[in-house]
Amino acid sequence: MTVGLLLGVVFLVLGIVAYTGRWKGWIRARRGFGSTIGFAWLWLGAAFAVASVALLVESYSREVFFVLLAVAAILLVVAIVGAFWLPRFLLPAWYLTLRGDPTTKGGRA
């Protein structure tokens, strides 16, 4: 439980600095496998953190435990898929510019 929370915080911090563009050293490929792995770390950290909180509240409320477990599972799926691909709306503008994608202005690409 403590390890999960610690891993959650570490991956959340890594994901936040990746999303903000402060750390770009993780970018190896412009497209394909691994090109969005830094962003996946945010979702992985959130999944670990939510699952750890779910374990903390299990003895108090089984309903809350199962809801948090479902949220953690969804976040984990996003993290796993995010290691390979993320939809455009989950990618920051600086990354789209770096990749050469047209930015959206006025709702159009």
Side-chain angles (χ1 to χ4, degrees), residues 57 107-108:
V57 302
R108 293 184 306 233

Coordinates of all heavy atoms in Angstrom, one line a residue, residues 57 107-108:
V57 N -9.3 2.7 2.1 CA -10.7 2.9 2.5 C -11.5 1.6 2.5 O -12.7 1.6 2.8 CB -11.4 3.9 1.7 CG1 -10.7 5.3 1.7 CG2 -11.5 3.5 0.2
G107 N -11.1 25.8 -33.3 CA -11.8 24.5 -33.3 C -11.5 23.7 -34.5 O -12.1 22.6 -34.7
R108 N -10.6 24.1 -35.4 CA -10.3 23.3 -36.6 C -8.8 23.0 -36.5 O -8.0 23.7 -36.0 CB -10.5 24.1 -37.8 CG -11.9 24.4 -38.1 CD -12.1 25.1 -39.4 NE -11.3 26.3 -39.5 CZ -11.7 27.5 -39.8 NH1 -12.9 27.7 -40.0 NH2 -10.8 28.5 -39.8

